[in-house]
């Protein structure tokens, strides 16, 4: 079991390494993608400067907490898109029969598939997340909690995408559902929880777990509480397990399209 | 001109077959309007309060109109198309045809944009009415004025995105430049009217393309006046001519660098 995990980690590491080397072939594009993504995210600070000139507190968040919220949203988004890029194209991979490539490998199908390529601009998101943490306040405690929450949040984001993309095993073209959930997660993540009312708040802790990816982590970093940390770890475990169970349950229904393609 | 109108018409007609698919893409529009509705309801603790000359309802209508302009444009896809045409050498097939690539791209994109504009406008007006229960004060003149301004804004925006895409003649991927452009439009033109910014930067935004492509039509919709309309149209015509010239300039310079491998 341990050897299997070790071997899977090694294979994942090599897959990401080679994908990164492919992207590094054009250094100018590589650097410009990262730099412009940081500038792109940075533009939103203007929005919050204007809003905080109208009100001192928005949705229970101070301006520093908004920076932290943005940092966590960018970090979770960046890690998930960089390491697990193909989880966000999984629906298309299932429908077009491209899973064949991973089924013939003696490794975990889901992990091999979602780590087969990287999104370079996501490195810009990760760096932006770290810049926001510096602006919020750098301390050993904040760095450890920020990185832990960023990694766990990215696993939840990826799991949600896998769960909704796996619906393709049963219902065919369900990219629209997966894309909509992804869009909801990304758009809501950068606004304070307190501005929303009603049923949407229940969704933040169930089918759109922004509570686990951003809202509770902001609370946790601002004011540490062990139950909150346990809740995040437990939530991540539940969503990850669900993603694996649903994907492998659906995989039994998968049939190849005999599509001929080359992976270069 | 007749051939370009034909391109516009054929693009519009072919996309009529995909109305359902196009409409599904507007889910993110609904999400954004819902977020801004909640945000402004929070900021305006009293709905009758006036902040920087705008009531809460005016602010939400402002965002509905600016988002209609942005969503109907589908700029990211268009920028990628121009960029790919240059990168893959596809542009070579267009060069040998009896039309200009810039005008062809412009009219072809306006075809799909027109359909998206009609659909998202209906959606935006329905959402606005459901959430707010009333429309801003409108007259026949103001509706015509807003429509003219929206058309000019869309043409200018399409030309700007065409020029950004044509930068692919010089650098491989222009998407990052487009991201920054889109965020500047979003932050300085879509979410807030210019009155929300410090007085010192208001004239800069007012005479920038951001105002011409985003803020101006929305401002006319929520608070129409003949003077603002004339001023807006003058700014938009100047930008239209400037952007048309710049796009042709980049194309003419860039196409000389084109090197396509046959095969």
């Amino acid at each position: 079991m341990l050897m299997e995990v070790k071997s899977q980690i090694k294979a994942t590491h090599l897959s990401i390494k080679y994908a990164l080397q492919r992207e590094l072939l054009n250094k100018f594009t590589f650097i410009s993608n990262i730099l412009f993504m940081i500038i792109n995210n940075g533009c939103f600070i203007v929005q919050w400067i204007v809003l905080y000139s109208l009100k001192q507190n928005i949705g229970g968040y101070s301006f520093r907490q908004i920076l932290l919220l943005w940092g966590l949203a960018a970090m979770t988004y960046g890690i998930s898109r960089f390491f697990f890029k193909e989880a966000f194209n999984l629906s298309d991979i299932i429908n077009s029969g491209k899973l064949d490539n991973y089924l013939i490998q003696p490794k975990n199908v889901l992990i091999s598939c979602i780590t087969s390529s990287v999104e370079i601009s996501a490195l810009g998101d990760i760096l932006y997340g770290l810049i926001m943490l510096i602006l919020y306040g750098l301390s050993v405690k904040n760095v450890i909690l920020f990185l832990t929450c960023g990694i766990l949040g990215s696993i939840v984001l990826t799991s949600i995408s896998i769960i909704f993309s796996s619906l393709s095993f049963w219902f065919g073209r369900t990219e629209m559902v997966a894309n909509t959930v992804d869009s909801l997660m990304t758009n809501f993540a950068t606004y304070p929880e307190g501005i929303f009312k009603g049923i949407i708040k229940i969704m933040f802790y169930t089918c759109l777990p922004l509570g686990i990816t951003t809202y509770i982590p902001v609370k946790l970093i601002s004011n540490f509480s062990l139950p909150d940390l346990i809740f995040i770890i437990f939530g991540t475990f539940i969503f990850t397990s669900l993603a694996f169970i649903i994907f492998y349950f659906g995989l039994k229904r998968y049939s190849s399209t005999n599509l001929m393609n080359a992976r270069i | 001109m007749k051939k370009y109108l034909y391109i516009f018409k054929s693009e519009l007609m072919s996309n009529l077959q995909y109305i359902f698919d196009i409409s599904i893409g507007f889910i993110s529009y609904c999400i954004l309007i819902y977020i801004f509705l909640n945000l402004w309801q929070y900021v305006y603790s009293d709905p009758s309060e006036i902040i920087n000359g705008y009531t809460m309802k005016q602010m939400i209508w402002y965002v509905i109109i600016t988002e209609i302009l942005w969503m109907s444009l589908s700029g990211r896809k268009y920028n990628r198309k121009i960029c790919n045409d240059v990168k893959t050498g596809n542009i070579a097939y267009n060069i040998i045809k009896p039309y200009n690539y810039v005008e062809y791209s412009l009219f072809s994109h306006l075809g799909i944009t027109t359909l998206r504009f009609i659909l998202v406008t209906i959606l935006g007006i329905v959402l606005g009415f459901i959430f707010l229960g009333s429309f801003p004060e409108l007259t026949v003149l103001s509706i015509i004025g807003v429509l003219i301004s929206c058309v000019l804004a869309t043409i200018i925006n399409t030309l700007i995105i065409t020029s950004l895409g044509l930068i692919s003649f010089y650098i491989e991927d222009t998407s990052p430049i487009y991201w920054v452009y889109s965020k500047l439009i979003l932050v300085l033109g879509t979410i807030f009217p210019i009155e929300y910014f410090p007085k010192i930067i208001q004239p800069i935004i007012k005479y920038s393309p951001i105002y011409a492509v985003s803020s101006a039509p929305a401002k006319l919709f929520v608070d129409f006046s003949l003077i603002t309309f004339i001023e807006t149209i003058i700014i938009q015509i100047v930008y239209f001519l400037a952007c048309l010239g710049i796009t042709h300039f980049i194309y003419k310079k860039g196409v000389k660098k084109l090197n396509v491998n046959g095969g």
Side-chain angles (χ1 to χ4, degrees):
Chain A
M1 175 73 180
L2 201 64
M3 287 302 287
E4 227 172 90
V5 172
K6 206 175 154 189
S7 153
Q8 183 63 52
I9 291 172
K10 197 178 167 193
T12 306
H13 168 249
L14 286 175
S15 172
I16 292 169
K17 184 181 158 191
Y18 294 139
L20 191 59
Q21 279 176 345
R22 260 197 319 267
E23 298 293 336
L24 270 165
L25 283 174
N26 190 332
K27 286 199 176 56
F28 179 78
T29 306
F30 180 86
I31 293 166
S32 68
N33 267 285
I34 295 169
L35 277 180
F36 276 93
M37 183 50 80
I38 295 172
I39 299 169
N40 172 52
N41 290 340
C43 288
F44 282 103
I45 291 183
V46 177
Q47 175 191 348
W48 291 103
I49 290 172
V50 173
L51 283 169
Y52 275 89
S53 69
L54 305 173
K55 231 176 161 91
Q56 292 302 307
N57 179 308
I58 294 179
Y61 281 43
S62 65
F63 184 68
R64 275 180 70 226
Q65 283 176 311
I66 282 290
L67 295 179
L68 184 61
L69 178 80
W70 265 88
L72 276 162
M75 194 70 171
T76 51
Y77 184 94
I79 296 175
S80 64
R81 293 309 195 284
F82 184 76
F83 292 102
F84 314 116
K85 182 187 171 187
E86 293 304 327
F88 302 89
N89 299 324
L90 193 59
S91 193
D92 181 52
I93 292 172
I94 295 167
N95 284 318
S96 56
K98 289 178 191 162
L99 269 183
D100 293 10
N101 293 327
Y102 310 100
L103 283 167
I104 54 168
Q105 291 172 10
K107 295 281 174 244
N108 183 290
V109 179
L110 180 59
I111 295 177
S112 302
C113 173
I114 64 176
T115 56
S116 58
S117 64
V118 294
E119 176 77 57
I120 291 309
S121 59
L123 283 177
D125 289 307
I126 295 172
L127 288 174
Y128 182 77
L130 294 172
I131 294 168
M132 290 297 105
L133 176 67
I134 294 168
L135 292 177
Y136 172 77
L138 209 56
S139 70
V140 177
K141 182 203 96 183
N142 285 355
V143 172
I144 293 170
L145 287 175
F146 185 83
L147 291 177
T148 309
C149 294
I151 293 167
L152 294 176
S154 70
I155 294 171
V156 174
L157 265 184
T158 310
S159 301
I160 289 291
S161 183
I162 293 168
I163 291 169
F164 284 97
S165 300
S166 296
L167 294 177
S168 289
F169 286 121
W170 289 275
F171 308 110
R173 305 211 72 84
T174 57
E175 292 101 316
M176 189 266 285
V177 180
N179 291 344
T180 304
V181 173
D182 191 35
S183 172
L184 282 165
M185 294 284 288
T186 314
N187 283 310
F188 281 112
T190 49
Y191 289 88
E193 185 187 5
I195 66 166
F196 301 107
K197 294 183 286 253
I199 194 160
I200 193 83
K201 283 192 132 179
I202 300 168
M203 289 167 73
F204 289 158
Y205 292 90
T206 50
C207 57
L208 292 176
L210 286 160
I212 298 169
T213 59
T214 37
Y215 296 142
I216 296 177
V218 170
K219 222 166 76 180
L220 184 75
I221 297 171
S222 310
N223 190 9
F224 182 78
S225 121
L226 192 62
D228 281 346
L229 182 62
I230 293 169
F231 183 78
I232 294 169
I233 296 169
F234 180 69
T236 309
F237 175 74
I238 294 287
F239 279 103
T240 312
S241 307
L242 268 177
F244 272 90
I245 291 167
I246 294 174
F247 178 83
Y248 279 98
F249 191 58
L251 191 61
K252 290 178 188 160
R253 295 175 54 88
Y254 175 74
S255 54
S256 167
T257 56
N258 291 324
L259 178 76
M260 295 279 286
N261 63 349
R263 290 182 70 210
I264 301 164
Chain B
M1 190 65 187
K2 208 174 159 187
K3 59 191 169 195
Y4 297 117
L5 287 175
Y6 186 79
I7 291 166
F8 171 83
K9 194 179 147 195
S10 54
E11 191 66 29
L12 180 67
M13 297 305 283
S14 69
N15 278 290
L16 277 173
Q17 309 298 318
Y18 308 108
I19 282 192
F20 181 71
D21 291 329
I22 294 170
S23 306
I24 282 172
F26 296 143
I27 292 172
S28 52
Y29 176 80
C30 301
I31 298 167
L32 283 170
I33 297 302
Y34 178 76
I35 290 174
F36 284 116
L37 178 82
N38 279 276
L39 181 67
W40 287 118
Q41 278 177 341
Y42 188 88
V43 172
Y44 281 82
S45 34
D46 173 10
S48 58
E49 192 183 352
I50 293 176
I51 301 178
N52 293 321
Y54 290 85
T55 62
M56 186 191 81
K57 284 189 177 182
Q58 280 180 315
M59 277 309 298
I60 295 168
W61 276 114
Y62 178 90
V63 176
I64 287 174
I65 300 300
T66 51
E67 286 290 350
I68 285 175
L69 285 169
W70 189 248
M71 284 283 169
S72 57
L73 197 68
S74 188
R76 189 170 58 174
K77 209 169 160 188
Y78 179 56
N79 176 69
R80 207 182 304 137
K81 185 195 165 289
I82 300 277
C83 188
N84 282 341
D85 275 355
V86 177
K87 270 200 310 194
T88 59
N90 236 353
I91 198 168
Y93 295 108
N94 295 97
I95 288 171
I96 54 169
K97 288 180 182 161
Y99 52 65
N100 181 286
Y101 178 75
V102 172
E103 263 91 46
Y104 162 76
S105 303
L106 174 68
F107 279 86
S108 158
H109 185 66
L110 288 178
I112 169 80
T113 304
T114 305
L115 181 63
R116 290 173 62 89
F117 180 80
I118 294 167
L119 293 173
V120 78
T121 301
I122 295 169
L123 178 65
I125 285 171
V126 170
L127 280 179
F129 193 73
I130 291 170
F131 288 142
L132 304 170
S134 64
F135 295 111
E137 275 179 37
L138 295 169
T139 61
V140 176
L141 180 69
S142 69
I143 293 171
I144 295 169
V146 171
L147 280 176
I148 295 170
S149 179
C150 284
V151 171
L152 282 168
T154 304
I155 295 173
I156 298 164
N157 216 346
T158 308
L159 282 169
I160 293 174
I161 297 171
T162 311
S163 3
L164 295 180
L166 288 173
I167 296 174
S168 302
F169 281 121
Y170 305 93
I171 60 171
E172 193 183 304
D173 189 4
T174 60
S175 304
I177 303 174
Y178 173 77
W179 299 335
V180 175
Y181 171 71
S182 65
K183 290 308 170 299
L184 285 174
I185 295 276
L186 180 70
V187 174
L188 300 178
T190 304
I191 304 173
F192 308 108
I194 53 171
E195 290 79 1
Y196 271 72
F197 293 97
K199 282 208 161 44
I200 196 159
I201 64 163
Q202 283 184 18
I204 301 169
I205 300 174
K206 189 166 182 177
Y207 296 106
S208 74
I210 293 168
Y211 184 75
V213 303
S214 186
S215 312
K219 190 174 163 55
L220 283 176
F221 185 80
V222 296
D223 187 18
F224 186 86
S225 82
L226 200 60
I227 296 168
T228 320
F229 171 67
I230 294 167
E231 194 185 48
T232 300
I233 296 299
I234 292 170
I235 292 172
Q236 288 185 319
I237 290 172
V238 170
Y239 266 109
F240 166 67
L241 295 172
C243 290
L244 191 66
I246 291 168
T247 312
H248 276 283
F249 176 76
I250 296 173
Y251 174 70
K252 277 181 188 160
K253 283 271 177 196
V255 83
K256 287 178 189 160
K257 289 170 63 76
L258 186 69
N259 192 350
V260 179
N261 295 318

